């Protein structure tokens, strides 16, 4: 193989890394995570506003997945970073677990493409769909049993990719009291 061909092959192998989904990272080498790509029937500014409103608990919004406590860490036009901690009143043994999320928004096909990643910040393997729900519950609409704060829109999930032993059960995302 000629040097120029080898260089072209090396560059071609790097392209997927450039376009890969952004994740928040974790301090734990072994941790559960989930990556979701979804298409929303709303503009990216509307999607961003809704994610921000829910993560900020505006208008009394409560996380339907065991009352987790979100906060917005950073927000720009194209990216929102959030954190979710378990509610000690509803978590096993009252222990607090922390997960972080990164939402990347891009206008696409008249709507908004949501690329999101949630990662547990401590050692975890089987998460019982928590990382998936961390993402989904910040954008799902009323047709999916969620409670919008600012705008109700629908989404189509194009891919849901949990880490090994982590879940992706929509039914786990909304826990009825």
């Amino acid at each position: 193989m000629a040097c120029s061909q080898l260089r072209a092959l090396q560059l071609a192998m790097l392209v997927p890394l450039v376009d890969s989904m952004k994740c928040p990272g974790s301090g734990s080498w072994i941790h559960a995570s989930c990556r979701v790509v979804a298409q929303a029937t709303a503009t990216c500014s509307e999607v961003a506003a809704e994610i921000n409103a829910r993560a900020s608990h505006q208008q009394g919004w409560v996380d339907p997945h065991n009352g987790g406590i979100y906060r917005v860490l950073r927000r720009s036009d194209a990216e929102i970073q959030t954190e979710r901690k378990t509610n000690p009143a509803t978590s096993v043994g009252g222990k607090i677990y922390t997960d972080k999320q990164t939402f990347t928004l891009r206008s696409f096909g008249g709507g908004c493409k949501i690329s999101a990643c949630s990662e547990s910040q401590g050692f975890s393997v089987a998460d019982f769909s928590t990382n998936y729900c961390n993402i989904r519950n910040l954008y799902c609409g009323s047709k999916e049993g969620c409670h919008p704060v600012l705008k109700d829109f629908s989404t189509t999930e194009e891919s849901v990719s949990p880490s090994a032993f982590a879940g992706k059960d929509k039914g786990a995302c909304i826990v009825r009291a």
Side-chain angles (χ1 to χ4, degrees):
M1 184 176 287
C3 187
S4 62
Q5 290 174 318
L6 181 57
R7 183 74 177 141
L9 179 60
Q10 289 172 330
L11 288 173
M13 291 172 65
L14 288 175
V15 170
L17 296 176
V18 172
D19 194 37
S20 64
M21 184 177 297
K22 185 172 182 182
C23 289
S26 176
S28 178
W29 190 66
I30 299 173
H31 62 277
S33 65
C34 188
R35 297 168 184 237
V36 176
V37 176
Q39 178 75 26
T41 60
T43 67
C44 287
S45 61
E46 291 169 329
V47 172
E50 185 63 30
I51 291 170
N52 185 67
R54 293 185 198 187
S56 300
H57 303 277
Q58 291 179 15
Q59 297 181 24
W61 184 83
V62 176
D63 175 25
H65 184 68
N66 299 313
I69 302 163
Y70 283 93
R71 71 184 180 113
V72 177
L73 301 175
R74 196 168 292 131
R75 179 180 177 191
S76 70
D77 291 341
E79 184 178 290
I80 302 170
Q81 294 176 2
T82 59
E83 173 184 84
R84 180 188 182 272
K85 293 184 182 233
T86 53
N87 186 331
T90 59
S91 66
V92 177
K95 186 167 170 141
I96 296 175
Y97 298 93
T98 302
D99 304 321
K100 289 185 178 180
Q101 302 76 41
T102 300
F103 294 83
T104 305
L105 308 175
R106 182 171 50 95
S107 294
F108 184 80
C112 184
K113 178 82 71 176
I114 304 166
S115 298
C117 181
S118 178
E119 291 184 297
S120 296
Q121 297 301 296
F123 177 84
S124 66
V125 181
D127 74 347
F128 307 99
S129 300
T130 295
N131 279 286
Y132 169 60
C133 297
N134 290 344
I135 296 167
R136 182 181 184 274
N137 286 348
L138 291 182
Y139 65 71
C140 56
S142 62
K143 290 181 182 174
E144 297 141 323
C146 295
H147 298 285
V149 175
L150 301 175
K151 181 168 177 72
D152 190 9
F153 51 83
S154 62
T155 56
T156 302
E157 292 178 342
E158 296 174 359
S159 67
V160 177
S161 306
S163 58
F165 306 109
K168 59 178 184 177
D169 176 16
K170 288 180 184 179
C173 296
I174 299 175
V175 178
R176 304 282 182 219

